[in-house]
Amino acid sequence: MYHTWQAQDTAKNFDTDTHSGLSLEEVEKRKEKHGLNKLAAQSRETLFTLIWSQINDILIYILIGAAIISAIVGETSDAIIIGVIIVLNAVIGVIQESKAEKSLEALKSLSTPKAIVKREGELKEIPSEEIVPGDIVIIDAGRYIPCDLRLIETANLKIEESALTGESVPVDKEANIIFKDPKTPLGDQKNMAFMSTLASHGRGVGIAVNTGMNTEIGKIASLLKENEKELTPLQKKLDKLGKYLGLAAISICAVIFLIGFIQGRDLFELFLTSISLAVAAIPEGLPAIVTIVLALGVQRMIKENAIIRKLPAVETLGSVNIVCSDKTGTLTQNKMTITKFYADDSFDDINKLNINNSVHRLLIENLVLCNDATYSEDNSTGDPTEIALLNAGATYNIFKDAFQKEHERVSEIPFDSDRKLMTTINKYEDEFYVMTKGATDNLLKICTKALIGKNELPLTEEVKNTILTTASAMSSEALRVLGAAYKKVHNIHVEIDTLENDLVFIGLVGMIDPPRLEVKNSINLCKKAGISTVMITGDHKDTAFAIAKALDITKNPLETISGSELDALSQDELNERIMNLRVFARVSPEHKVKIVKAFKSKGNIVSMTGDGVNDAPSLKIADIGVAMGITGTDVAKGASDMILTDDNFATIVSAIQEGRNIYNNLKSQSYFCYLAMPEK
């Protein structure tokens, strides 16, 4: 609700001074009232709990009963064999799940980030868990947001929120914006900053409005407790088998006893005979065979970059027919990349750019020089959009560090969200080039000419319309569009206000977080295997559809639906439409749970992939939740059944193939187990 409040109203509500912050005495009072600013830790399963989870099964109960009865009737060897099988089954299961937990621990990044707060008029760096509601928190580039904040001051602030919202591009933040709609999606709340998101650019100041489990991430973590995990298909089948075997054993006892009683046989002898036949009807080796086959499958999957956390999940993979996948980082590379360019009347793929063409080359030089990011193959820092520009330059052997030494930056006008432009002045021999890049509309307002060939021609309405049409064509493909312009000046003693006037338009570039190269083949393989791929993302509808179309998930825009449209549907209404939908955009954590439930209502076995905290509730409620091992948050990993150590969608497909092989092995081994029964 704080996104609907004025900044001063927020400060008044929390009784805090935006200039001096809280007093130390007040901090201690609020710490006692609200507790530490951290998510509630989930207790680890004890050894007893792990053992109990392995034997808490009706088939195991029947085997325990069979062992006890065998011992009572003097069949000691049978009792010992059955007991060994029960223990072996439990030990293998416990060892496997313990291994999975150790592998999970190795993936976690355990760190306690610091936060800068203003208290008693002084800036102090403290552990983020010590922040209390009302604290004045300072944000700068590269720092994680320690709690939920109502921003009261921003300067070119951008925050990367993909872990929370699924948005792949950093969000521009503006403290002075007020939203009237209380239901404004998190991704659109530009006057708020949320716990565990990352400031990628600029700086800001905010009031801590929610801490710990009261934050948006804390609320999502709380949803995990509300979704009880259902039995897997294998567990359901074994549970049903156990009930059938139990009824069969009782029926055998009753029938044999009744026949013998009618024949007038000794009652004690009849009892022993009927009990022995009932015990013989139970395939004692079945639980051990199931456990061993699953455990061997798990070991093979680990080599294929998939860690299985629960043994029965292996067989569930083989039954999956719907794969719901997050977009950012799973289907896409989570790396902004230039794919299109327009310059010198050429509109084409970026790999068709001719670096020997003077206009094309100047476009790349502009994007490299008018840039504050750093780039190398091993390490890059800065805004993902600017890193993408430097990456494009590197493709044509124009590297920022070396090129900027050759063309020194002597002055600049930094980017800001009002102008949506950035300008630098760089030395070119005896001249200076004013290099400007930014939003197309804003850039064209300050351009009077366009560079075509080697000529600077007047920017007529016809030329301007061509540029705008090209920019629109890029936008229709969900590309983020940037324009570039320049002008020459003979000295640096130029009024700063006149730098961004009378510019010469150079060209445009369009960028997107592109699909992973191997994903399209994997999706086609899924189709051939009768598995449907569904995209669920926090990104905007047009971006989601563009990626889905490129990956052959769908070609029909009518199979795409947004979060606001989902809000208008009840669960029953969505259940009826669900099989005609393939792309879900701008969704919330609650929407993801609703979508998974809808697919399951139609009898589908559903896999859900994700990496953010916002994915955790749906990961837990899906038949098999798949978390990303590299980019995945601890909450997402904890809610999952399987973890991908390479964050690759293709690994899911390999795991499903392995799951189907294991399912076939289980059927054949179970068949042989039953063939062995008459030998008893």
Side-chain angles (χ1 to χ4, degrees):
M1 66 175 178
Y2 297 106
H3 62 278
T4 64
W5 290 16
Q6 295 281 352
Q8 57 266 34
D9 293 334
T10 307
K12 184 177 180 181
N13 179 71
F14 285 94
D15 192 21
T16 187
D17 188 325
T18 57
H19 298 291
S20 61
L22 298 174
S23 67
L24 296 181
E25 181 182 356
E26 183 63 25
V27 167
E28 291 303 317
K29 288 180 182 178
R30 298 190 185 192
K31 197 180 294 183
E32 287 183 18
K33 179 180 179 181
H34 298 282
L36 293 176
N37 175 40
K38 62 180 183 179
L39 299 182
Q42 291 185 336
S43 57
R44 292 181 60 85
E45 291 184 326
T46 63
L47 180 61
F48 175 78
T49 306
L50 289 172
I51 294 173
W52 174 250
S53 67
Q54 301 301 320
I55 64 174
N56 185 24
D57 180 87
I58 191 166
L59 191 56
I60 300 298
Y61 292 156
I62 292 174
L63 291 181
I64 292 173
I68 293 171
I69 293 171
S70 296
I72 291 173
V73 300
E75 298 290 340
T76 308
S77 59
D78 281 357
I80 292 173
I81 291 171
I82 296 172
V84 169
I85 289 172
I86 293 170
V87 172
L88 181 65
N89 178 75
V91 168
I92 292 175
V94 169
I95 289 174
Q96 174 54 41
E97 292 193 13
S98 297
K99 280 184 177 180
E101 289 301 323
K102 287 179 182 177
S103 299
L104 176 62
E105 289 296 326
L107 290 170
K108 290 184 178 180
S109 176
L110 301 177
S111 61
T112 305
K114 300 281 187 177
I116 298 176
V117 298
K118 188 182 290 185
R119 290 177 177 173
E120 296 187 331
E122 296 181 0
L123 294 181
K124 299 181 179 181
E125 187 173 47
I126 62 171
S128 61
E129 64 183 28
E130 293 184 9
I131 288 177
V132 297
D135 258 327
I136 304 301
V137 180
I138 311 302
I139 307 167
D140 52 20
R143 192 177 293 275
Y144 281 95
I145 308 302
C147 60
D148 287 0
L149 304 172
R150 170 57 171 95
L151 297 171
I152 58 175
E153 181 183 325
T154 53
N156 303 325
L157 180 63
K158 293 185 179 183
I159 297 182
E160 200 275 303
E161 298 181 336
S162 60
L164 179 63
T165 66
E167 182 82 41
S168 58
V169 178
V171 179
D172 290 311
K173 296 295 182 176
E174 178 55 60
N176 296 325
I177 294 177
I178 305 295
F179 296 93
K180 294 181 179 180
D181 185 2
K183 294 184 179 180
T184 303
L186 292 182
D188 294 328
Q189 293 180 18
K190 296 189 175 183
N191 58 3
M192 298 288 295
F194 302 103
M195 185 179 188
S196 293
T197 58
L198 177 67
S200 61
H201 191 85
R203 60 181 180 82
V205 180
I207 299 173
V209 293
N210 285 312
T211 59
M213 293 300 288
N214 293 323
T215 61
E216 291 299 327
I217 280 186
K219 291 175 185 176
I220 294 171
S222 298
L223 282 175
L224 298 175
K225 299 177 183 178
E226 299 174 12
N227 296 324
E228 290 299 322
K229 194 71 175 178
E230 296 180 2
L231 294 176
T232 68
L234 176 63
Q235 289 171 322
K236 291 176 182 177
K237 291 171 188 173
L238 291 177
D239 187 59
K240 187 181 293 185
L241 175 62
K243 290 175 182 177
Y244 288 157
L245 289 175
L247 289 172
I250 294 171
S251 299
I252 289 171
C253 285
V255 170
I256 297 300
F257 191 86
L258 181 61
I259 293 172
F261 180 77
I262 293 172
Q263 293 175 343
R265 298 197 179 191
D266 180 73
L267 293 180
F268 183 69
E269 182 183 343
L270 279 175
F271 177 73
L272 292 182
T273 302
S274 58
I275 291 294
S276 297
L277 285 171
V279 170
I282 298 171
E284 293 93 341
L286 182 59
I289 286 174
V290 169
T291 301
I292 291 170
V293 170
L294 293 180
L296 291 174
V298 165
Q299 296 307 312
R300 289 197 295 272
M301 285 187 177
I302 288 174
K303 296 176 183 177
E304 298 296 327
N305 300 316
I307 295 173
I308 302 295
R309 300 186 63 226
K310 302 290 181 182
L311 276 178
V314 178
E315 185 270 345
T316 309
L317 274 168
S319 307
V320 165
N321 67 319
I322 297 285
V323 176
C324 297
S325 179
D326 184 39
K327 178 184 76 69
T328 306
T330 308
L331 298 177
T332 64
Q333 300 174 22
N334 199 17
K335 182 178 72 174
M336 293 299 290
T337 304
I338 294 177
T339 58
K340 298 280 187 180
F341 84 98
Y342 170 75
D344 197 17
D345 279 340
S346 297
F347 176 35
D348 215 327
D349 293 337
I350 190 64
N351 56 13
K352 300 290 180 63
L353 183 143
N354 180 9
I355 198 65
N356 295 317
N357 177 302
S358 60
V359 183
H360 292 189
R361 183 177 181 85
L362 186 60
L363 174 64
I364 295 295
E365 290 182 3
N366 174 290
L367 301 177
V368 170
L369 292 173
C370 188
N371 198 310
D372 286 333
T374 65
Y375 172 82
S376 70
E377 291 185 3
D378 300 324
N379 184 39
S380 299
T381 61
D383 186 282
T385 298
E386 295 205 320
I387 292 172
L389 303 179
L390 296 184
N391 183 35
T395 304
Y396 295 99
N397 293 317
I398 299 178
F399 298 94
K400 182 184 177 183
D401 289 346
F403 200 65
Q404 193 157 281
K405 286 180 181 177
E406 184 180 346
H407 301 290
E408 180 187 357
R409 180 187 298 188
V410 295
S411 186
E412 64 183 287
I413 305 177
F415 174 88
D416 72 53
S417 54
D418 291 329
R419 289 166 36 251
K420 294 184 179 179
L421 299 170
M422 174 182 175
T423 295
T424 63
I425 303 179
N426 297 85
K427 184 174 176 57
Y428 271 71
E429 297 180 353
D430 297 331
E431 294 181 301
F432 297 92
Y433 278 33
V434 176
M435 297 290 201
T436 301
K437 77 172 193 299
T440 309
D441 290 345
N442 293 34
L443 191 69
L444 289 177
K445 290 176 183 177
I446 56 175
C447 289
T448 56
K449 296 178 181 179
L451 186 62
I452 300 175
K454 295 183 179 180
N455 302 312
E456 296 180 357
L457 302 178
L459 186 64
T460 62
E461 285 301 315
E462 182 182 354
V463 174
K464 187 179 292 187
N465 288 335
T466 300
I467 294 169
L468 290 173
T469 301
T470 305
S472 179
M474 289 185 182
S475 297
S476 68
E477 296 181 28
L479 299 181
R480 187 176 188 183
V481 184
L482 279 179
Y486 88 114
K487 71 176 178 181
K488 300 176 185 178
V489 294
H490 295 289
N491 62 72
I492 59 172
H493 303 295
V494 181
E495 290 293 330
I496 201 78
D497 294 338
T498 65
L499 283 179
E500 293 179 348
N501 288 330
D502 299 322
L503 298 181
V504 181
F505 177 82
I506 305 171
L508 305 170
V509 290
M511 65 190 76
I512 197 170
D513 178 13
R516 286 177 176 263
L517 298 177
E518 70 281 1
V519 166
K520 189 172 183 177
N521 289 335
S522 298
I523 289 173
N524 289 330
L525 188 61
C526 283
K527 285 182 181 178
K528 292 177 182 177
I531 301 168
S532 298
T533 304
V534 173
M535 178 193 291
I536 304 178
T537 177
D539 269 343
H540 291 281
K541 194 173 180 178
D542 55 350
T543 304
F545 177 69
I547 295 295
K549 187 177 180 181
L551 291 173
D552 283 344
I553 292 175
T554 182
K555 301 293 185 184
N556 186 355
L558 295 178
E559 293 184 346
T560 303
I561 190 170
S562 67
S564 57
E565 292 171 305
L566 283 173
D567 284 330
L569 298 176
S570 67
Q571 184 68 62
D572 290 339
E573 289 172 333
L574 180 60
N575 293 352
E576 291 304 311
R577 288 189 58 188
I578 195 67
M579 299 310 294
N580 296 318
L581 298 172
R582 286 294 174 267
V583 180
F584 300 84
R586 212 61 174 165
V587 295
S588 69
E590 291 82 2
H591 290 145
K592 294 183 180 184
V593 171
K594 190 175 179 180
I595 293 163
V596 173
K597 284 182 177 178
F599 277 117
K600 290 176 71 173
S601 74
K602 295 300 181 182
N604 297 295
I605 305 299
V606 182
S607 168
M608 174 72 194
T609 71
D611 55 3
V613 175
N614 62 328
D615 299 312
S618 53
L619 288 175
K620 189 170 184 181
I621 201 172
D623 292 299
I624 181 158
V626 182
M628 303 296 109
I630 299 172
T631 60
T633 61
D634 289 350
V635 178
K637 293 172 189 173
S640 67
D641 301 292
M642 182 171 85
I643 298 170
L644 305 182
T645 58
D646 60 356
D647 287 15
N648 196 331
F649 182 86
T651 302
I652 301 173
V653 180
S654 299
I656 291 174
Q657 288 178 319
E658 186 64 39
R660 291 191 173 185
N661 292 335
I662 291 168
Y663 177 71
N664 292 330
N665 287 341
L666 280 174
K667 286 200 296 185
S668 61
Q669 294 297 332
S670 299
Y671 174 71
F672 286 121
C673 180
Y674 279 108
L675 286 181
M677 284 171 55
E679 297 179 8
K680 296 181 181 180

